[in-house]
Amino acid sequence: MTPLHIVNAQLIDGDTPRPGSLLAVDGRIAEIDPTELPEGSETVDAKGQWLAPGIIDLGVFATDKPAFHFGGITRAALMPDAGRLDDPGLVERAAKGGKPDLWVHPVAAATKGLAGKELAEIGMMKGAGARAIATGRARIADSGVMRRILSYAASLGLVTIIHAEDEGLTAGAVTTDGEMATRLGLASAPAIAEAIAIARDLMLVEETGAPVHFRQVTTARGLDLIRTAKAKGLPVLCGITPAHLFLSDTAIGDFRTFARLSPPLRSEDDRHACLAAIKDGTIDILSSGHDPRGPEDKRLPFAEAQPGMAGAETLLALGLNLVRDGHVSPGRLFELLARTPACLLGVDAGRLTVGMEADLILVDADTPWQVDAKKMAAWAGNTPFDGMPVQGRATAMWKGGQRIR
């Protein structure tokens, strides 16, 4: 493998970009700001662009390589709902899905058939390549089952990824209680459904000591519970997607099915609480929630449409909005996008540090472009950000030191 030397870059290895260079040898980062180069090294001029770790998208619902490459995503953690990953053979096959230019890290189903009743073969699936386990699109209602899952996963060194909505409150609902739901006449559920689900699972975490990640926390009351749990030293992480940071439930006006999501969009007050939680460090991971849906799922009456959005291509650009608006530093953004997801999954990536795999992206943070659902690389362009002007994109990518874009 030809050694790679990237020069004239702005390195994202601290809070703010700094001038520097990087040397990758045999697929790993060998030196930062090298003074000597191996013979035959390939030199790439970054021309002042940011050099950052490749994005690790935690919790996608499809292996959509063109969309991931457009968005600067070099690794993706695939949720178990994509193909019912409750069997070691299915997990092993999923792990091979994108190689060599995209690494898919399967997240195994916590229960057989994602039914929430009987534990899946978690140990065997870990041996087949599962990097975490998850409850899937829904939570596990049975507290006894959930307690056993947490205890067993913790004994295997796996994090449990949780969907937090109380099904007794959200059954049949398609949006959040509020003025917009009333105006449109849509079935809705109170936002407290999230906090109720989080509260139960936090008590189980306190009981078992098991590490968990709440994949999306989108309400002020839910985030307050997470803050309290972290202050007590519980092993708790939480995440969010850009949709709940930049959109509120007003986006479903005119019955826009591209804005039908799970969890649903929240009130403007909750949206501002989410931005505050990004800024104060309560939220640990920013992910795309990539869930491409074709016309057969979205060109329907709002209540019949399937929730989900194609988010991989807009994740980086919308994350850069957080930098421009002063909510996070560039370094903190890539903690949200790469470093913390890598730690959760237990992979040697996500940082510009010697010894890490050379999964790298160049980022032009200022180039303007417009989100266009009809031109997206994803196999379906169901984005609630259709038509939105954004800035910033990945211009080059390396996976293990090999150029893939």
Side-chain angles (χ1 to χ4, degrees):
M1 185 181 295
T2 303
L4 171 67
H5 185 213
I6 302 176
V7 300
N8 296 328
Q10 293 288 321
L11 302 182
I12 307 297
D13 61 356
D15 277 344
T16 57
R18 68 167 185 85
S21 62
L22 178 146
L23 175 67
V25 178
D26 294 331
R28 291 186 177 267
I29 298 173
E31 194 172 350
I32 303 295
D33 298 324
T35 55
E36 295 183 7
L37 300 179
E39 186 176 348
S41 296
E42 176 193 5
T43 298
V44 174
D45 187 348
K47 299 180 180 178
Q49 296 180 91
W50 291 5
L51 178 60
I55 294 170
I56 302 173
D57 198 357
L58 188 73
V60 303
F61 292 88
T63 300
D64 198 349
K65 192 182 294 188
F68 295 153
H69 283 178
F70 182 95
I73 296 165
T74 52
R75 297 171 185 255
L78 183 66
M79 290 293 283
D81 312 76
R84 291 272 180 97
L85 301 180
D86 63 352
D87 175 84
L90 296 175
V91 167
E92 185 176 9
R93 185 171 67 183
K96 297 176 180 177
K99 291 181 179 179
D101 52 348
L102 171 74
W103 280 24
V104 175
H105 298 298
V107 177
T111 58
K112 292 183 178 180
L114 290 169
K117 296 179 180 179
E118 185 179 356
L119 268 64
E121 298 289 349
I122 297 171
M124 294 178 66
M125 289 189 290
K126 179 184 178 181
R131 290 283 180 172
I133 65 168
T135 66
R137 296 183 191 273
R139 78 160 188 160
I140 292 172
D142 189 314
S143 298
V145 172
M146 189 61 179
R147 185 178 186 275
R148 290 194 295 275
I149 287 167
L150 291 177
S151 297
Y152 188 38
S155 73
L156 294 171
L158 295 174
V159 176
T160 302
I161 299 174
I162 298 172
H163 180 90
E165 285 185 292
D166 184 282
E167 66 290 335
L169 291 172
T170 60
V174 296
T175 188
T176 305
D177 280 358
E179 179 183 344
M180 186 57 65
T182 301
R183 184 185 304 173
L184 298 178
L186 294 171
S188 61
I192 199 174
E194 179 177 273
I196 289 173
I198 290 172
R200 186 208 67 173
D201 288 339
L202 286 177
M203 284 189 279
L204 291 174
V205 169
E206 192 165 14
E207 171 76 13
T208 62
V212 300
H213 171 62
F214 293 94
R215 193 174 66 86
Q216 293 194 63
V217 180
T218 60
T219 63
R221 295 186 75 170
L223 290 163
D224 283 343
L225 290 170
I226 299 293
R227 282 192 190 92
T228 301
K230 288 186 172 188
K232 293 167 70 174
L234 297 183
V236 174
L237 299 173
C238 75
I240 200 167
T241 70
H244 289 92
L245 294 171
F246 294 107
L247 301 173
S248 66
D249 57 0
T250 58
I252 68 172
D254 299 325
F255 300 96
R256 293 183 65 235
T257 59
F258 280 6
R260 187 180 171 199
L261 307 175
S262 176
L265 292 173
R266 306 300 191 181
S267 69
E268 189 69 7
D269 286 344
D270 279 329
R271 186 180 77 84
H272 283 286
C274 291
L275 286 170
I278 279 278
K279 191 168 187 176
D280 69 19
T282 301
I283 293 173
D284 304 281
I285 291 175
L286 182 64
S287 58
S288 74
H290 189 66
D291 193 5
R293 299 279 189 173
E296 69 280 3
D297 288 333
K298 286 294 188 180
R299 290 183 182 173
L300 296 168
F302 191 94
E304 298 174 21
Q306 293 297 310
M309 66 176 181
E313 291 164 74
T314 54
L315 176 61
L316 174 59
L318 293 170
L320 289 168
N321 275 356
L322 296 172
V323 176
R324 278 187 287 272
D325 292 344
H327 297 293
V328 299
S329 68
R332 165 75 172 138
L333 175 62
F334 280 91
E335 283 185 13
L336 292 160
L337 292 174
R339 182 171 185 163
T340 305
C343 291
L344 187 154
L345 297 170
V347 296
D348 292 335
R351 288 176 288 160
L352 298 187
T353 302
V354 172
M356 295 291 107
E357 293 199 35
D359 297 350
L360 309 167
I361 57 174
L362 286 181
V363 177
D364 183 337
D366 298 316
T367 185
W369 57 286
Q370 186 174 36
V371 181
D372 187 339
K374 295 179 180 178
K375 296 179 180 179
M376 293 179 80
W379 67 261
N382 55 303
T383 172
F385 296 103
D386 188 25
M388 180 178 177
V390 293
Q391 286 179 266
R393 67 197 312 169
T395 61
M397 297 176 64
W398 292 264
K399 179 75 191 71
Q402 293 288 330
R403 184 122 184 204
I404 58 176
R405 182 182 159 201

